[in-house]
Amino acid sequence: MPAITLPDGSERRFDGPVTGTTVAASIGPGLAKAALAMKLDGRMVDLSTEIADDAKVVFITRRDGDALELIRHDTAHVLAEAVQELYPGTQVTIGPSIENGFYYDFARNAPFTTADFPAIEAKMREIVARGAPFVRSVQNREEATAFFEAKGESYKAELIRDLGADQTITFYSQGDWIDLCRGPHMRTTGDVGTAFKLMKVAGAYWRGDHRNPMLTRIYGTAWRDQKELDAHLHMLEEAEKRDHRRIGKDMNLFHMQEEATGSVFWHPKGWKLYRTAEAYMRRRLEAGGYDEVKTPQLVDRALWEASGHWDKYREHMFQAQVDDEDKTLALKPMNCPCHVLIFRQGLRSYRELPLRMAEFGACHRYEPSGALHGIMRVRAFTQDDAHIFCTEAQIAPETVRFVALLSSVYRDFGFDSFRVKFSDRPDVRAGTDETWDRAEGALKEACAIAGVDYELNPGEGAFYGPKLEFVLRDAIGRDWQCGTLQVDFVLPERLDAEYVGEDGARHRPVMLHRAILGSFERFLGILIEQYAGRFPLWLAPVQVAIATVVSDADPYAFEVAQALKAAGLTVVTDTANSKINAKIRDHSLQHVPVIAIVGRKEAEGRTLVLRRLGVEKQETLPLHDAVARLAQEALAPDLAPDLARDAARGRAAEVLEAVVM
RNA sequence: GCCGCUUUAGCUCAGGGGUAGAGCAACUGAUUCGUAAUCAGUAGGUCGUAGGUUCAAUUCCUACAAGCGGCACCA
């Protein structure tokens, strides 16, 4: 006698076990038609699931956001059926729903190409039109394995073999096609609808392990209706325009080329942006109690052997030799060992702790070729690195302090929110469980004090200690780790760092490895995408373009340029023989935040007409007022907290809304 | 590193077994003009690199490199 409670609190009683379909029908024909699946006591299940006991039921219709995951998963099944119909002999493996869509991994001798998409999509639409019901059935292990092995589906058979003994093995069929699947599914393939599109093909290792064969993955996107699909595709198009590689070229910020794979050639404007960020960071670190140092790039292998990197990290290190000397040097892949060497100069006292040692450290790592990505993942980069030598008791307060600094820096760059991952002890690790307990406990405590919400990243910590990762998202939704804080009690041991404590005895310091931007290259890449190249005034590599209307105004334009430069602004003076319309267009396309227009009127009245990027409204100011105002506006956020910070935030929000120029 | 795709002028791209074309940018000239493209002309390419097939290769094939999309990696 199940009593079924609906979201509105009302209750319905039935004489015996009922399916969701029956319950929906009892409520009304509209719902019977619209219900795709249901949540049974919070768990998403098939509508055909039998309800035997009292339960809370929420029906899922196409209007619910939860429907998306169902639609995407079902679309993956439709894709698999279509592929097997079109390309017999192709093995199916797995096909989950993911953010914005789904994928399905196939094993086939000849890989798919996007040229196959039209045929596959057509077949998928056919399958959707058939509207075959999804039918769930429970199988026993032997029969299920035998079934797939008989079909030549060795991957599916392997999946079943690896399912836990306690797990029910369920199949879902749609017409003649059947798949191993946990479900749930909607009612029929017709519920998939037509708002889907295949997006790309890619290779992917079976079970995500590079020792396994590579499968062909087909990615698709699926939505509740055409409007949503169109919006998503439009968003992707817009995101593409914000790609830092595209903007880097268009704005002439940097380039990369074959002769220095994975290294950035910064052009004048790009380097200006870099230096602005660097100068800002330097001020913040100085104010934050850090001491800046500079350590060598080429370091003898002996140090790397001592630190353990030679053993564990050598394949990622660039090595260097000279003819005359029988030595192997390596380009440093990280700065920590060098910082320990500075720490070890002289006898350290507990009074010096916490000692915060910072470096804009140029590092080189031989990254796998396939990992390189624009300036986000490179082989030569500069970390805004620092190591805090401290006691265990200082881990928590230093973490709180660091998170505050990082949050403030991110805010100043226009990132109001970011994700934090907490990576705890990996399987292979150094140190005792007690030490790990203390280190993880201290980090967690610090997060609580700092009000940091993190997601747990189990087992992903460094072998020497737990870490926090601060993650920013790029224009097309890829996540990049930028900031980090890592607790390390191994390296001080290996490199024999010590200090004299209050008790007169020698102690090991704990090392906190931390970075805020991560690397300038990656952070600037994300920053470029964040602003779509339309930087707030303080960051803009060219802050003001002075555009003349007639050549009679040239002398005044040069005078204006001098005045603005004297006030610390970066300007270009455009006295070219072209129309003011063209000049405005050119500088707007270059995302110069302020265009100062200078014609006869301005020269005579000694004024300046200021036009902001993308805004038609403009204002006329006396020259000196204009210079003073712009100089004030161009101050970095840490120098003029309220003004620039609000401007940066406003601009970031505006860019998110706007269609990119 | 693995799978797939791509590589033609500074940029965006067309073309195709008989050694190449457009638009924009650049340069030159004319034009001096008031808020997102003034007009005309000129110049610009070992068609990623190296082999192979062919009477002939930028085009077809192979290898390599770089880039792109993923996967793996990111101590």
Side-chain angles (χ1 to χ4, degrees):
Chain A
M1 293 273 279
I4 289 169
T5 311
L6 298 168
D8 64 1
S10 67
E11 206 177 83
R12 277 169 193 260
R13 290 180 176 278
F14 295 86
D15 293 339
V18 282
T19 64
T21 315
T22 311
V23 178
S26 81
I27 294 170
L31 184 63
K33 207 172 153 195
L36 301 172
M38 60 182 168
K39 273 191 174 165
L40 190 56
D41 290 327
R43 197 168 55 91
M44 187 78 83
V45 297
D46 299 339
L47 208 55
S48 58
T49 306
E50 235 178 34
I51 310 167
D53 303 311
D54 292 359
K56 280 191 179 137
V57 169
V58 181
F59 288 101
I60 304 299
T61 70
R62 223 174 174 76
R63 267 191 245 159
D64 291 300
D66 287 336
L68 273 171
E69 203 177 320
L70 292 164
I71 290 168
R72 287 167 184 165
H73 183 201
D74 287 13
T75 313
H77 274 241
V78 170
L79 167 63
E81 181 181 357
V83 164
Q84 288 204 312
E85 256 188 58
L86 289 170
Y87 310 95
T90 304
Q91 289 193 59
V92 289
T93 66
I94 57 160
S97 70
I98 53 173
E99 192 175 6
N100 299 329
F102 60 92
Y103 67 76
Y104 208 108
D105 286 347
F106 299 99
R108 180 179 180 233
N109 293 335
F112 297 102
T113 71
T114 48
D116 300 318
F117 282 4
I120 300 173
E121 282 181 351
K123 182 58 81 179
M124 288 171 72
R125 290 185 200 291
E126 211 181 298
I127 293 165
V128 169
R130 281 182 215 153
F134 287 104
V135 179
R136 179 176 186 269
S137 60
V138 178
Q139 306 281 329
N140 80 49
R141 181 171 303 255
E142 289 68 36
E143 278 172 27
T145 313
F147 173 78
F148 279 116
E149 266 167 2
K151 284 213 300 178
E153 298 275 4
S154 52
Y155 291 95
K156 282 288 184 192
E158 185 181 331
L159 286 175
I160 296 170
R161 270 197 301 278
D162 290 355
L163 280 176
D166 54 328
Q167 296 207 45
T168 316
I169 294 166
T170 56
F171 280 22
Y172 277 83
S173 68
Q174 53 201 67
D176 297 334
W177 193 79
I178 190 158
D179 195 10
L180 171 75
C181 182
R182 196 172 28 198
H185 282 282
M186 299 185 291
R187 299 164 304 185
T188 73
T189 56
D191 288 334
V192 162
T194 53
F196 61 82
K197 183 174 163 51
L198 300 183
M199 302 297 283
K200 51 198 176 192
V201 281
Y205 296 106
W206 167 235
R207 298 192 140 182
D209 189 328
H210 69 278
R211 289 164 302 195
N212 287 337
M214 184 150 275
L215 309 170
T216 299
R217 175 171 298 180
I218 295 180
Y219 282 96
T221 187
W223 299 84
R224 294 179 294 184
D225 55 43
Q226 190 63 34
K227 214 171 136 189
E228 278 188 356
L229 173 61
D230 290 344
H232 176 66
L233 296 177
H234 181 252
M235 187 278 289
L236 288 180
E237 261 174 53
E238 291 306 316
E240 221 167 276
K241 295 182 193 164
R242 293 166 64 171
D243 191 308
H244 73 283
R245 294 164 295 193
R246 151 117 266 114
I247 291 173
K249 208 174 255 179
D250 289 346
M251 287 180 72
N252 195 11
L253 300 176
F254 60 83
H255 88 275
M256 307 183 80
Q257 67 180 61
E258 216 171 319
E259 285 75 2
T261 307
S263 305
V264 186
F265 291 80
W266 288 104
H267 295 12
K269 280 168 65 183
W271 189 240
K272 174 76 188 170
L273 172 67
Y274 184 113
R275 283 187 297 132
T276 302
E278 187 189 51
Y280 164 84
M281 285 308 296
R282 183 167 277 133
R283 287 193 304 270
R284 296 304 308 266
L285 290 174
E286 217 153 278
Y290 288 81
D291 296 317
E292 186 177 332
V293 299
K294 195 76 180 171
T295 61
Q297 309 246 339
L298 277 169
V299 181
D300 196 282
R301 67 182 272 184
L303 178 65
W304 305 113
E305 282 168 352
S307 69
H309 290 106
W310 195 257
D311 192 33
K312 291 212 164 69
Y313 201 70
R314 189 176 8 162
E315 64 192 78
H316 296 289
M317 290 167 67
F318 288 100
Q319 296 175 33
Q321 274 97 19
V322 289
D323 291 341
D324 290 0
E325 268 182 71
D326 187 23
K327 271 185 176 179
T328 303
L329 304 173
L331 278 168
K332 67 177 172 189
M334 54 205 59
N335 308 295
C336 4
C338 292
H339 288 187
V340 176
L341 294 190
I342 293 182
F343 182 86
R344 276 184 30 177
Q345 291 292 306
L347 198 54
R348 297 288 180 178
S349 155
Y350 73 96
R351 294 172 198 276
E352 295 177 71
L353 307 186
L355 192 155
R356 308 184 190 92
M357 194 184 293
E359 174 172 8
F360 298 132
C363 296
H364 291 79
R365 297 181 186 176
Y366 182 73
E367 300 283 6
S369 56
L372 302 176
H373 181 91
I375 64 174
M376 307 272 217
R377 182 90 182 261
V378 286
R379 289 182 175 157
F381 54 94
T382 304
Q383 296 178 319
D384 64 320
D385 202 4
H387 294 93
I388 302 171
F389 297 87
C390 62
T391 65
E392 254 184 69
Q394 288 168 335
I395 293 175
E398 282 303 305
T399 302
V400 171
R401 194 184 161 100
F402 170 69
V403 171
L405 178 59
L406 177 137
S407 307
S408 155
V409 167
Y410 280 18
R411 258 200 312 279
D412 282 354
F413 280 112
F415 298 102
D416 274 333
S417 67
F418 48 88
R419 288 168 52 212
V420 185
K421 292 186 191 171
F422 186 108
S423 301
D424 62 11
R425 64 192 79 186
D427 291 338
V428 181
R429 58 179 182 264
T432 63
D433 284 353
E434 291 71 50
T435 326
W436 275 90
D437 287 344
R438 286 204 305 275
E440 288 172 1
L443 256 194
K444 281 186 182 156
E445 184 199 330
C447 285
I449 296 170
V452 172
D453 287 326
Y454 55 79
E455 33 190 299
L456 203 58
N457 210 12
E460 294 294 315
F463 76 93
Y464 50 69
K467 65 179 180 185
L468 293 178
E469 296 173 35
F470 300 86
V471 176
L472 294 173
R473 188 163 271 211
D474 73 11
I476 61 168
R478 281 185 275 226
D479 285 335
W480 297 92
Q481 184 205 302
C482 291
T484 185
L485 179 114
Q486 308 176 4
V487 181
D488 179 3
F489 40 82
V490 170
L491 204 58
E493 180 78 37
R494 291 199 70 128
L495 293 181
D496 196 27
E498 53 184 24
Y499 65 92
V500 178
E502 220 169 342
D503 56 2
R506 300 197 173 200
H507 300 272
R508 287 270 176 246
V510 176
M511 251 176 112
L512 302 180
H513 306 242
R514 42 107 295 168
I516 294 174
L517 309 184
S519 82
F520 280 92
E521 288 75 5
R522 175 174 295 180
F523 191 83
L524 292 178
I526 289 176
L527 199 65
I528 289 167
E529 300 198 351
Q530 147 106 342
Y531 288 113
R534 297 156 69 182
F535 297 108
L537 195 60
W538 75 280
L539 282 168
V542 174
Q543 294 168 311
V544 186
I546 302 160
T548 54
V549 181
V550 290
S551 49
D552 286 352
D554 287 1
Y556 181 61
F558 293 129
E559 190 191 333
V560 169
Q562 273 313 314
L564 287 169
K565 281 182 197 167
L569 290 144
T570 309
V571 305
V572 291
T573 313
D574 187 353
T575 55
N577 178 12
S578 58
K579 292 193 170 186
I580 189 67
N581 303 40
K583 292 185 185 183
I584 286 171
R585 181 167 193 274
D586 288 348
H587 299 298
S588 297
L589 288 174
Q590 284 295 305
H591 307 314
V592 178
V594 179
I595 301 176
I597 289 148
V598 169
R600 274 196 199 95
K601 276 188 291 188
E602 289 74 25
E604 280 159 15
R606 301 192 58 75
T607 59
L608 220 44
V609 171
L610 300 183
R611 181 191 158 119
R612 309 286 169 153
L613 177 58
V615 180
E616 274 181 51
K617 207 185 80 186
Q618 56 190 15
E619 53 184 338
T620 306
L621 291 170
L623 177 57
H624 288 294
D625 293 356
V627 171
R629 160 117 43 117
L630 290 173
Q632 179 65 27
E633 278 180 40
L635 288 174
D638 61 315
L639 301 175
D642 302 331
L643 194 71
R645 198 167 286 162
D646 291 349
R649 261 192 234 155
R651 173 56 59 81
E654 182 188 305
V655 169
L656 277 177
E657 296 292 321
V659 170
V660 178
M661 293 179 62

